[in-house]
Amino acid sequence: MPDQLPEHPDWLWRTPDPKPSYDVVVVGAGGHGLATAYYLARNHGISNVAVLERGWLAGGNMARNTTIIRSNYLCEESAAIYEHALKLWEGLPEELEYDFLFSQRGVLNLAHTLQDVREGTRRVGANRLGGVDAEWLDPDEVRAFCPIVNTSPDVRYPVLGATLQPRAGIAKHDHVAWALARKADEHGVDLIQNCEVTGFVRDGGGRVVGVETTRGRIGAGRVALAAAGHTSTLTDLLGLRLPIQSHPLQALVSELLEPVHPTVVMSNHVHVYVSQAHKGELVMGAGIDSYNGYGQRGSFHQIEHQMAAALELFPIFARAHVLRTWGGIVDVTPDASPIIGLTPVENLYLNCGWGTGGFKATPASGWVYADTIAHGRPHQLAAPFALERFATGALIDEHGAAAVAH
Amino acid sequence: MTVDGFALAHLRRSPLGHLADRLAAAEATGPGGVRLREIPFLAQLNLRLDPAGPAAARAAEALGAPLPTLAGSVVATADLRVLWLGPDEWLVVGADGAAPTIEHALRRALGDEPGSVVDVSANRTTLELSGPSARSVLEQGCSLDLHPRAFGPGRCAQTTVAKVQLVLDQIDAEPSYRLLVRGSFAQYLADWLLDATGE
Amino acid sequence: MLLIACPWCGERDETEYHYGGQAHVAHPADPHALSDAEWGAYLFVRDNPKGEFAERWMHAAGCRRWFNVVRHTVTHDISAVYPAGQPRPVPPSDEHSEVTA
Ligand SMILES: Cc1cc2nc3c(=O)[nH]c(=O)nc-3n(C[C@H](O)[C@H](O)[C@H](O)COP(=O)(O)OP(=O)(O)OC[C@H]3O[C@@H](n4cnc5c(N)ncnc54)[C@H](O)[C@@H]3O)c2cc1C
Ligand SMILES: [Zn+2]
């Protein structure tokens, strides 16, 4: 045994104590909170900012997701914000000076039923009209693009075709968080871990002017929630009820394997989504548990179902082993679209409801949220996602529309 | 079965008729023995009524036995098995061809009381699994405690076996079980049971 | 996998049940009297507590009856199972708070 531990690698950000107050306090150091802080500083020159995190940086959904990045959503409003994200992703490794293994290896959404085919071809059409790259592949083309998918006609749910977004792909999620954290820190943002927000400080006019935390009271010009599955536990403290429900969502990885899987395959019908990470593990997402849960773990039958689906589509995985499974807490809205913008409580801003699919949005989410906070009005891309849509009825119904959750 | 006087029985196909030989061939004898067969075309009547209302007593009289009120219990007569499906719902199972008679009797018993009598005979077929190993075969795909201390003759359950939703009815202590399963799931369940009996 | 006790059939695997979300949400007596925001809140907003939650479950693969459960959303501990239509039971700790205080 060495009598001395190896040197710790360089820290990527400082570990400051909280200051008495900040211009903006961001609650939650997941991807969205970090991106928000980064763009507040970079785009708006607001760097007197703290990001408060109850646990450790990226310990929530950010480093638990299956890292799928794509922008081929059906609704115009969604395609616009996710495509903005994809364009940002394309420049981000260089801008953040961090190779977080962004890989545009394409994403296939398989169609197994006539309804899937209709939905897929419709979405390809809509995407093309909206300037999002999209192709429709027949089963032979699917096999050519991803030879390990079982495209034989005699399986239970034969592959009838697929949508392909060539610019879509994956990235290494924890590195994305660290890259954003380092740059935000360089701009002067204080990243404060082990600091849970437990309450809000309000002035006589009801405005939020600070937060109570496990590390004391911190004043804030504006408070920006980016707490994903925990958002309603915070807004409940203000009597503000939100249309979100928090559910367990699980994922799993296999042991490290030789490169066998060249792309990302999603099948909503058989319910599986798989990619192979750079190290070699197969990364698969399982289904969402039907019940509400804050336990960061889900039910075993979801994993079992997920494995059965994976084997049906990829017989080659038959002898792979499940190495690890884990769960996150996803915040689901009735229309499966996020909520971004102002709230009835002055100085309180909201960014939540990304549910099972917010990783891909990380840079755009931070971009439009920072802009919304800096100017006190919704960014153009965020405006359709305002909380008011649940009163006006102008829902952005991605649930039924795109038929894919992640 | 007749419709307007024409005999139609020869046209009927049971969901597992084509598997009869394979089911018979899977029989194992001796202390680890197990037998599997389809009992096709049993009469099945779904009955719903208020167990505390006047129709309950009339139905009991018509059936020749009280409606079971204990969850998951079965009352049997010489010709019928009455299975508890819910606090106001039962499945009356009789011999092939008996459905019209049972339906008529139950409709009269129900009278004008709120409730329903529906002939669901075509909904499910019946697999019978019996023999000393029947329980251990079933336990491979059923999470209920089927040990005699918890389950036995006179007990039924709606549950899943190998993910298939079905009605399980224990007939005797040998043990013998009836698995009443939807026609569209019957082949899958039979295949699964054939596989499980081989283990 | 949760083990949930159906009030009729007893303990069964979670996979036999269908989840119905928050319990005790009454349909507004007069929907026309509501503002858009109130109607939206009725349609879309449900409690989402981190802790005990009164919720509806249905024994889908069994007796197909709806009933209510009080479940803790972190530990999944089930502290009460009671018929649909009955009020949420008062937890024993509240009942006896005077004694223990
Ligand atoms: C298994 C799984 C697979 C997924 N797969 C994909 C995918 O393939 N593609 C995709 O686009 N999306 C995916 N997602 C969704 C995506 O991960 C989330 O939408 C996204 O990460 C949410 O934003 P975030 O990173 O800011 O959230 P989080 O990382 O959860 O950040 C929220 C942070 O807030 C903190 N917090 C909460 N309460 C408080 C408080 N009171 N005080 C201080 N801090 C607090 C939490 O600790 C947490 O760190 C997946 C999610 C899961 C769970
Ligand atoms: Zn039940």
Side-chain angles (χ1 to χ4, degrees):
Chain A
M1 273 250 318
D3 47 14
Q4 218 184 324
L5 289 170
E7 294 254 310
H8 192 285
D10 285 347
W11 296 100
L12 296 181
W13 57 84
R14 298 164 293 126
T15 305
D17 287 326
K19 290 194 273 186
S21 76
Y22 294 90
D23 293 341
V24 179
V25 163
V26 177
V27 184
H32 292 210
L34 292 168
T36 303
Y38 168 64
Y39 286 121
L40 275 171
R42 175 193 181 275
N43 292 356
H44 305 283
I46 303 174
S47 54
N48 183 25
V49 173
V51 183
L52 309 183
E53 169 55 50
R54 67 193 280 267
W56 65 94
L57 197 138
N61 295 330
M62 181 57 175
R64 292 167 188 264
N65 64 66
T66 48
T67 81
I68 297 173
I69 295 173
R70 60 185 183 87
S71 63
N72 55 350
Y73 283 67
L74 179 71
C75 300
E76 269 172 42
E77 300 86 349
S78 330
I81 195 166
Y82 289 109
E83 177 60 22
H84 184 54
L86 186 47
K87 294 214 168 74
L88 290 171
W89 281 115
E90 286 170 335
L92 219 48
E94 199 179 329
E95 179 179 326
L96 299 179
E97 300 173 286
Y98 200 122
D99 178 12
F100 51 72
L101 304 177
F102 177 50
S103 160
Q104 291 178 287
R105 55 182 64 187
V107 169
L108 289 174
N109 292 117
L110 301 183
H112 302 272
T113 64
L114 285 179
Q115 169 55 23
D116 282 356
V117 172
R118 282 186 209 111
E119 183 279 321
T121 48
R122 178 185 182 211
R123 190 157 42 78
V124 165
N127 288 159
R128 287 193 174 169
L129 287 174
V132 173
D133 59 320
E135 293 169 26
W136 176 257
L137 306 189
D138 67 24
D140 288 336
E141 292 168 325
V142 171
R143 189 181 317 119
F145 195 76
C146 186
I148 61 172
V149 179
N150 186 1
T151 49
S152 71
D154 59 354
V155 296
R156 189 156 170 226
Y157 299 112
V159 174
L160 302 181
T163 67
L164 168 64
Q165 183 177 24
R167 286 162 61 239
I170 55 173
K172 195 158 164 33
H173 46 203
D174 43 357
H175 287 199
V176 173
W178 301 340
L180 286 165
R182 183 178 64 174
K183 276 289 171 207
D185 176 85
E186 277 175 23
H187 280 291
V189 170
D190 282 358
L191 305 175
I192 300 165
Q193 305 182 69
N194 297 312
C195 179
E196 177 169 358
V197 171
T198 54
F200 294 90
V201 187
R202 302 176 80 171
D203 70 6
R207 280 178 291 266
V208 167
V209 293
V211 289
E212 303 288 357
T213 80
T214 47
R215 298 182 64 179
R217 176 177 289 201
I218 302 174
R222 285 165 191 193
V223 174
L225 301 185
H230 275 86
T231 308
S232 53
T233 65
L234 287 161
T235 55
D236 279 352
L237 300 171
L238 293 163
L240 174 64
R241 294 181 79 218
L242 295 181
I244 63 174
Q245 298 280 292
S246 299
H247 291 270
L249 178 70
Q250 300 177 84
L252 59 96
V253 289
S254 73
E255 74 272 49
L256 307 188
L257 302 168
E258 292 295 318
V260 289
H261 185 14
T263 180
V264 181
V265 173
M266 308 178 64
S267 161
N268 207 48
H269 197 80
V270 180
H271 207 286
V272 67
Y273 39 108
V274 194
S275 66
Q276 187 170 20
H278 288 79
K279 265 193 300 176
E281 67 269 39
L282 297 168
V283 182
M284 304 191 199
I288 189 166
D289 279 295
S290 62
Y291 52 79
N292 296 23
Y294 285 86
Q296 285 189 325
R297 75 198 143 119
S299 288
F300 179 72
H301 66 92
Q302 298 287 0
I303 299 288
E304 193 186 12
H305 183 71
Q306 147 66 25
M307 297 308 292
L311 286 191
E312 201 166 318
L313 274 180
F314 299 94
I316 192 179
F317 297 165
R319 303 177 81 173
H321 301 93
V322 174
L323 197 68
R324 251 173 324 119
T325 75
W326 63 88
I329 310 165
V330 295
D331 40 342
V332 179
T333 61
D335 61 356
S337 290
I339 303 171
I340 316 168
L342 283 66
T343 70
V345 180
E346 207 175 322
N347 296 344
L348 182 77
Y349 291 78
L350 198 58
N351 187 356
C352 65
W354 290 93
T356 62
F359 173 70
K360 66 178 71 63
T362 301
S365 169
W367 182 287
V368 303
Y369 198 29
D371 183 87
T372 301
I373 298 160
H375 297 290
R377 52 100 192 95
H379 182 278
Q380 193 190 329
L381 291 177
F385 296 99
L387 183 57
E388 288 81 55
R389 74 178 185 275
F390 297 100
T392 63
L395 303 185
I396 301 168
D397 201 355
E398 280 296 341
H399 243 322
V404 273
H406 303 278
Chain B
M1 186 165 69
T2 63
V3 172
D4 295 341
F6 295 99
L8 294 177
H10 68 286
L11 290 176
R12 295 191 304 183
R13 297 279 179 277
S14 78
L16 298 176
H18 63 295
L19 284 186
D21 293 347
R22 278 183 60 205
L23 295 176
E27 172 166 353
T29 50
V34 62
R35 300 181 307 281
L36 196 55
R37 64 170 179 135
E38 183 189 19
I39 312 176
F41 310 126
L42 287 181
Q44 296 168 59
L45 281 296
N46 185 285
L47 171 66
R48 297 199 66 172
L49 52 74
D50 177 0
R58 295 200 295 260
E61 203 174 317
L63 295 169
L67 295 170
T69 49
L70 195 66
S73 63
V74 182
V75 168
T77 69
D79 313 316
L80 302 175
R81 296 183 68 78
V82 185
L83 281 59
W84 183 98
L85 295 187
D88 57 8
E89 185 173 7
W90 296 266
L91 187 70
V92 182
V93 182
D96 181 10
T101 317
I102 305 170
E103 182 178 348
H104 183 71
L106 288 176
R107 278 194 186 286
R108 281 189 49 184
L110 186 60
D112 290 333
E113 293 298 311
S116 65
V117 179
V118 184
D119 181 353
V120 294
S121 306
N123 189 358
R124 307 182 188 90
T125 190
T126 304
L127 269 157
E128 189 182 69
L129 176 71
S130 47
S133 283
R135 173 158 68 93
S136 63
V137 168
L138 212 47
E139 280 168 343
Q140 293 179 59
C142 180
S143 64
L144 290 189
D145 184 359
L146 299 174
H147 189 277
R149 79 183 151 235
F151 205 84
R155 294 291 309 276
C156 68
Q158 297 165 89
T159 186
T160 59
V161 172
K163 296 192 176 173
V164 177
Q165 199 173 328
L166 47 71
V167 184
L168 179 68
D169 176 15
Q170 183 163 352
I171 302 291
D172 62 35
E174 185 188 14
S176 303
Y177 304 96
R178 282 183 181 179
L179 285 64
L180 290 85
V181 61
R182 300 232 168 88
S184 53
F185 285 102
Q187 162 99 45
Y188 168 81
L189 182 67
D191 282 343
W192 184 89
L193 285 167
L194 282 169
D195 185 60
T197 52
E199 299 241 326
Chain C
M1 173 102 61
L2 309 183
L3 192 61
I4 300 170
C6 168
W8 302 101
C9 306
E11 287 186 345
R12 298 291 180 91
D13 286 348
E14 169 197 340
T15 45
E16 291 197 6
Y17 295 93
H18 176 81
Y19 186 59
Q22 184 181 351
H24 309 300
V25 180
H27 189 272
D30 181 7
H32 295 290
L34 301 187
S35 67
D36 285 353
E38 287 167 336
W39 178 246
Y42 165 68
L43 284 185
F44 300 121
V45 180
R46 295 291 180 273
D47 291 346
N48 186 27
K50 183 176 185 177
E52 300 220 306
F53 191 34
E55 57 193 17
R56 301 179 304 171
W57 289 84
M58 195 261 281
H59 192 186
C63 65
R64 299 199 304 284
R65 262 50 187 191
W66 284 97
F67 57 96
N68 295 333
V69 167
V70 176
R71 180 182 58 93
H72 196 287
T73 57
V74 180
T75 62
H76 299 316
D77 279 347
I78 292 175
S79 54
V81 174
Y82 55 103
Q86 276 191 15
R88 178 175 175 165
V90 181
S93 55
D94 288 11
E95 264 175 6
H96 302 300
S97 53
E98 283 174 17
V99 183
T100 49

